[in-house]
Amino acid sequence: MSSAHEKETAPTAAHIGLAHTQDVERIEAPVTWKAYLICAFASFGGIFFGYDSGYINGVLGSQIFINAVEGTSPVVDQLSESHQSLVVSILSCGTFFGALIAGDLADMIGRKWTVILGCLIYLIGCVIQMITGLGDALGAIVAGRLIAGIGVGFESAVVILYMSEICPRKVRGALVAGYQFCITIGLMLASCVVYATQDRKDTGAYRIPIAIQFIWALILAGGLMCLPDSPRYFVKKGNLAAATSSLSRLRGQDPNSEYIQVELAEIVANEEYERQLIPSTTWFGSWANCFKGSLWKANSNLRKTILGTSLQMMQQWTGVNFIFYYSTPFLKSTGAISNTFLISMVFTIINVFSTPISFFTVERFGRRTILFWGAFGMLICQFLVAIIGVTVGFNKTHMGPDGESMANNVSAVNAQIAFIAIFIFFFASTWGPGAWILIGEIFPLPIRSRGVGLSTASNWLWNTIIAVITPYMVGEKRGNLKSSVFFVWGGLCTCAFAYTYFLVPETKGLSLEQVDKMMEETTPRTSAKWKPSTTFAHAAEGGMLNVPAEKQV
């Protein structure tokens, strides 16, 4: 099947005389320190995501900021539920649309230039946020976070796409997990900055945390200027010379080396095969391709799109962002903890130091395994926090001598905090990096940029929904669920546990091209046993990759 709108077909390995091999273990060059460093730098974009998510938690508790937004007649000690919901969720709204737009731009102008453009948009948003306190404070912070969110959406979608396409297969999981590690570092840096500025009596209490965002954008944009774009992007565009140059820089090999020739031949052969399955079409048709195929066929585009978007949905359903967005006002409301900023920072530090565990486990035990046991650990912790809270913990309070709410059993509250910390450990070492790793691996090249964009948009959509509804769930004048909210997160972690068992495939140790073949020939529950038998380039030469017309999209 062909299309009138189809671009020129990329040449095959045979057409251009690339060396190829039948040995599935020799389709990539040995991993060098240069390759590690290039791929690791790209993960720096996670600091955007983490810092932006983290600093707002402390800013919401700043009295100077509260006065700027709510006014001083009368003076209140916290934002209203509606304003809190709006300020937190508007960033996620911007990132949702940014991620969708980025999927198109990444195919038009390249992966790295889309991220650089996102950095520029992010800087503009930071400038607008900086004027909060002049005129309409609420308008400035909301407009600035919306625009910055679009930039974060560009970065969060395309950095994952870029890293997945440039990382060597044997360490791809560990290196992409570095993105989540940078998210946690961003959260920690935000907590440190907020903690350092919380006692300021001027607008620096919130403007300094906002201004520091500039640094991350400048570092990422400047560094990416010096890095090559994805070789798979150039293959998709039919520019094999640029693909060869890019791949040689990424692998630290001579452009004419056998390693470069063999890996490029594999990418080209897979591109040809996927183009037979998913021919190029119009702009609308290319988006529609993401939703074609049978819901009951594991390798259909529809199933892959549902898998990617639902993985990100499940990551948000764990309730982790409730802790990082709202831990300060929530813990403050119990009256049992004197320094809520410090407890919030402890949670963040646990998050940072737990994430590197995944660098080892994701390649040793696999993506599916760590997601399965991570969900199990999280659901246990969430239910324990909820049960302790409704019996003897958070929910049991009395009025103190100064009229503030005080917990009846401080030890029980401390136990809840301990289980929240253990929950963070399970999330940071499993679902935190695992969901990001998988969405960069499961989509075929023709729809990869849009598939990753849709998956990332799903993350931000659910991030927005949770940010909007949470203040109403736990606000004293609204749902006032207190610890009962952890029953909700525990139930959703139980859904993630079952979801992983039935629907998540194992992609450990496979090239992106081999992942396509694995999903075509196996099921999620048997995927860990699948091994490649030949390379795409060798199969193409033998005429084994011709696709019957009925299988074409």
Side-chain angles (χ1 to χ4, degrees):
M1 182 183 293
S2 61
S3 168
H5 302 277
E6 186 170 349
K7 72 170 180 62
E8 64 276 13
T9 302
T12 66
H15 291 158
I16 58 178
L18 290 173
H20 58 275
T21 181
Q22 190 176 356
D23 185 352
V24 296
E25 296 301 322
R26 287 181 55 83
I27 58 172
E28 279 186 349
V31 182
T32 64
W33 278 108
K34 180 180 178 181
Y36 268 121
L37 292 174
I38 289 175
C39 298
F41 177 80
S43 66
F44 184 85
I47 287 183
F48 273 48
F49 188 160
Y51 189 89
D52 235 49
S53 298
Y55 90 85
I56 199 63
N57 179 30
V59 167
L60 291 178
S62 165
Q63 190 61 50
I64 303 290
F65 180 78
I66 294 168
N67 291 345
V69 174
E70 300 291 350
T72 55
S73 299
V75 174
V76 294
D77 61 0
Q78 62 181 17
L79 294 182
S80 66
E81 285 97 344
S82 59
H83 286 167
Q84 189 178 87
S85 172
L86 177 62
V87 170
V88 173
S89 63
I90 197 67
L91 177 92
S92 304
C93 180
T95 52
F96 171 79
F97 291 105
L100 290 178
I101 296 167
D104 270 335
L105 282 179
D107 276 348
M108 293 178 187
I109 65 175
R111 282 47 165 154
K112 84 167 188 177
W113 291 108
T114 303
V115 177
I116 291 169
L117 178 60
C119 291
L120 177 61
I121 296 171
Y122 183 77
L123 288 171
I124 294 170
C126 292
V127 171
I128 296 173
Q129 289 178 71
M130 284 290 292
I131 66 174
T132 298
L134 303 176
D136 186 348
L138 182 64
I141 193 72
V142 168
R145 281 176 63 78
L146 177 65
I147 293 170
I150 294 173
V152 175
F154 276 36
E155 174 274 324
S156 59
V158 182
V159 164
I160 290 296
L161 172 65
Y162 179 66
M163 291 186 69
S164 297
E165 291 190 339
I166 69 173
C167 290
R169 65 191 172 99
K170 292 182 179 178
V171 293
R172 185 178 61 242
L175 288 170
V176 177
Y179 177 79
Q180 176 66 21
F181 182 52
C182 285
I183 291 176
T184 66
I185 291 175
L187 285 164
M188 183 179 71
L189 290 172
S191 292
C192 292
V193 171
V194 167
Y195 188 64
T197 59
Q198 64 174 318
D199 294 328
R200 292 182 67 98
K201 304 302 181 184
D202 56 20
T203 57
Y206 62 86
R207 281 184 171 152
I208 291 173
I210 291 171
I212 287 175
Q213 297 174 98
F214 263 80
I215 299 171
W216 321 135
L218 293 174
I219 292 174
L220 182 62
L224 282 177
M225 290 282 191
C226 305
L227 298 185
D229 213 326
S230 164
R232 288 174 170 88
Y233 162 72
F234 289 124
V235 167
K236 184 173 182 179
K237 288 294 187 181
N239 188 347
L240 295 180
T244 303
S245 174
S246 170
L247 195 58
S248 68
R249 289 179 63 191
L250 290 169
R251 299 293 182 258
Q253 300 280 336
D254 185 270
N256 296 316
S257 77
E258 183 182 356
Y259 285 118
I260 298 301
Q261 297 285 301
V262 166
E263 185 172 355
L264 187 59
E266 188 73 355
I267 296 170
V268 169
N270 177 259
E271 156 73 1
E272 182 187 40
Y273 175 65
E274 293 294 347
R275 278 294 168 208
Q276 292 179 61
L277 289 169
I278 314 170
S280 295
T281 181
T282 61
W283 175 84
F284 180 80
S286 63
W287 277 103
N289 280 340
C290 295
F291 302 95
K292 289 187 176 180
S294 169
L295 181 62
W296 312 113
K297 184 180 176 185
N299 196 45
S300 71
N301 289 354
L302 176 62
R303 271 286 289 272
K304 290 177 178 178
T305 299
I306 291 174
L307 176 61
T309 53
S310 58
L311 270 167
Q312 293 294 319
M313 176 183 76
M314 290 290 175
Q315 189 199 59
Q316 292 300 306
W317 277 12
T318 60
V320 70
N321 277 333
F322 168 78
I323 292 165
F324 290 118
Y325 282 159
Y326 297 109
S327 62
T328 297
F330 185 75
L331 293 174
K332 194 176 181 180
S333 70
T334 68
I337 300 164
S338 59
N339 196 329
T340 53
F341 276 102
L342 188 58
I343 292 294
S344 177
M345 198 156 86
V346 168
F347 288 163
T348 305
I349 291 170
I350 292 169
N351 193 25
V352 171
F353 287 100
S354 300
T355 302
I357 295 171
S358 67
F359 297 175
F360 169 74
T361 57
V362 75
E363 299 297 359
R364 175 65 178 83
F365 302 109
R367 287 71 157 147
R368 175 181 165 86
T369 301
I370 67 168
L371 291 181
F372 181 80
W373 291 109
F376 182 73
M378 288 190 295
L379 73 89
I380 296 296
C381 291
Q382 296 280 28
F383 281 127
L384 284 173
V385 172
I387 292 167
I388 294 170
V390 299
T391 53
V392 293
F394 279 147
N395 291 25
K396 305 297 181 180
T397 60
H398 64 274
M399 296 302 293
D402 56 358
E404 290 188 1
S405 175
M406 301 291 293
N408 293 347
N409 190 331
V410 175
S411 296
V413 172
N414 289 338
Q416 285 184 276
I417 291 171
F419 281 114
I420 291 173
I422 297 170
F423 160 81
I424 292 171
F425 163 78
F426 277 111
F427 175 85
S429 57
T430 60
W431 274 86
W436 291 111
I437 293 167
L438 275 165
I439 66 167
E441 296 177 331
I442 59 176
F443 294 102
L445 184 57
I447 64 166
R448 185 173 295 142
S449 62
R450 290 179 172 87
V452 174
L454 284 167
S455 301
T456 307
S458 171
N459 178 292
W460 290 110
L461 173 64
W462 286 100
N463 193 313
T464 304
I465 291 170
I466 290 170
V468 168
I469 67 175
T470 296
Y472 296 94
M473 293 168 69
V474 299
E476 289 184 6
K477 298 177 183 178
R478 307 287 180 172
N480 199 24
L481 287 178
K482 296 184 178 178
S483 296
S484 300
V485 74
F486 288 94
F487 281 119
V488 175
W489 306 133
L492 293 174
C493 285
T494 304
C495 293
F497 178 70
Y499 167 89
T500 304
Y501 179 75
F502 289 107
L503 295 175
V504 176
E506 183 53 75
T507 58
K508 179 187 74 169
L510 303 177
S511 70
L512 297 182
E513 290 70 35
Q514 290 167 346
V515 170
D516 289 344
K517 202 67 177 171
M518 176 272 292
M519 295 184 74
E520 186 178 314
E521 297 178 355
T522 189
T523 65
R525 281 179 286 175
T526 60
S527 57
K529 299 177 181 178
W530 186 87
K531 302 294 180 187
S533 57
T534 189
T535 63
F536 269 92
H538 181 76
E541 185 185 42
M544 294 182 283
L545 291 184
N546 293 325
V547 180
E550 63 270 15
K551 283 193 173 184
Q552 297 180 17
V553 173

